Amino acid sequence: MNLATSIGIVGRQLLAVSLAMTLMACSTQPTSPSGGAEGVKQAQAETPLLSESEPAATAQQPKLKGEATVQITVNGKPITVTINGDAAPITAGNFVDLVDQGVYDGTSFHRVVRQPQPFVVQGGDPQSKDASVPAQQLGTGGFIDPATQQERTIPLEIVPEGEDQPVYSETIKAAGKTPKLKHTKGAVAMARSQSPDSASSQFYFTLSDLPFLDGDYAVFGYVTEGMDIVNQIQQGDRIESAKVTQGIENLTR
């Protein structure tokens, strides 16, 4: 391998890390490990103890058993998303429940990354409904459950390829596993902070195949129609409406 090739590989690796960091839903709470070199080394050195037991705290959270279809309208045009509750029951159930409650209606896409390569379109912060909220604050909010007045968060939930049960609260990449639902172009996944169980309402569309995210973030569905609309979304564009068009009967809450 010559020097130019080596530099090119290192550059792509650094770019992948940089892009992945922009996925994290911002948090006002401290997170660990840090994003510095020591934190990266620590994360790579530790093989997680994979847990297939559903966290007790999620017993009362919405779950999707089977599939659902969601239509998201942006700039007057529909985007159809197929939600996979078989491979991500809690993650999919949380999203479908929030759609059904109208939580996403009027929210904006606060992060759009297309350069230096197509990456993601991210939205779902309920704060973005309020035009008076400063742009720099967007990406810090989640869904506040009216019943508890607390932010609803869900555990990281990933089903490894070739397995039936999700792994909870742990990334699976360090264990040498790949997820059943991958970050191919048009995937829909949950944004989170460095804490694996911090996802709430923020989600993202992938603009290209992003295999370096596989095993670290929870994919729960795919765009099946309207990817051209996703490709046209600009920062600040709003979700005019999000509706469950099929499969609401598969939601338990």
Side-chain angles (χ1 to χ4, degrees), residues 21-89:
M21 289 299 291
T22 70
L23 267 185
M24 294 184 177
C26 298
S27 172
T28 56
Q29 300 298 318
T31 54
S32 180
S34 72
E38 291 305 315
V40 171
K41 289 178 182 177
Q42 176 185 345
Q44 290 174 338
E46 294 177 352
T47 298
L49 178 62
L50 301 183
S51 172
E52 295 184 354
S53 298
E54 182 180 318
T58 67
Q60 302 303 315
Q61 288 189 336
K63 298 177 183 65
L64 187 70
K65 304 297 185 181
E67 288 191 348
T69 303
V70 169
Q71 186 178 89
I72 300 172
T73 302
V74 180
N75 295 324
K77 299 177 181 178
I79 300 164
T80 301
V81 179
T82 298
I83 310 298
N84 190 328
D86 290 326

Side-chain angles (χ1 to χ4, degrees), residues 97-107 124-126 129 143 201:
D97 178 60
L98 296 182
V99 169
D100 193 49
Q101 292 190 54
V103 170
Y104 293 116
D105 296 353
T107 58
D125 184 342
K129 291 187 178 186
F143 170 65
S201 60

Side-chain angles (χ1 to χ4, degrees), residues 128-152:
S128 64
K129 291 187 178 186
D130 186 348
S132 68
V133 174
Q136 62 269 26
Q137 187 174 321
L138 299 182
T140 64
F143 170 65
I144 305 300
D145 191 332
T148 63
Q149 292 303 305
Q150 301 294 318
E151 182 175 325
R152 180 208 282 175

Side-chain angles (χ1 to χ4, degrees), residues 115-207:
Q115 299 296 333
Q117 66 183 47
F119 186 48
V120 301
V121 170
Q122 182 174 332
D125 184 342
Q127 297 180 110
S128 64
K129 291 187 178 186
D130 186 348
S132 68
V133 174
Q136 62 269 26
Q137 187 174 321
L138 299 182
T140 64
F143 170 65
I144 305 300
D145 191 332
T148 63
Q149 292 303 305
Q150 301 294 318
E151 182 175 325
R152 180 208 282 175
T153 58
I154 58 173
L156 182 63
E157 176 186 52
I158 302 175
V159 175
E161 198 167 43
E163 300 183 22
D164 296 324
Q165 297 301 315
V167 169
Y168 290 100
S169 304
E170 301 282 359
T171 64
I172 67 171
K173 184 182 295 182
K177 298 189 176 186
T178 58
K180 181 177 292 186
L181 302 182
K182 297 179 174 60
H183 283 80
T184 54
K185 182 178 180 179
V188 188
M190 295 303 292
R192 61 175 178 83
S193 71
Q194 289 185 1
S195 171
D197 295 345
S198 58
S200 180
S201 60
Q202 293 184 48
F203 69 96
Y204 58 90
F205 297 113
T206 59
L207 299 177

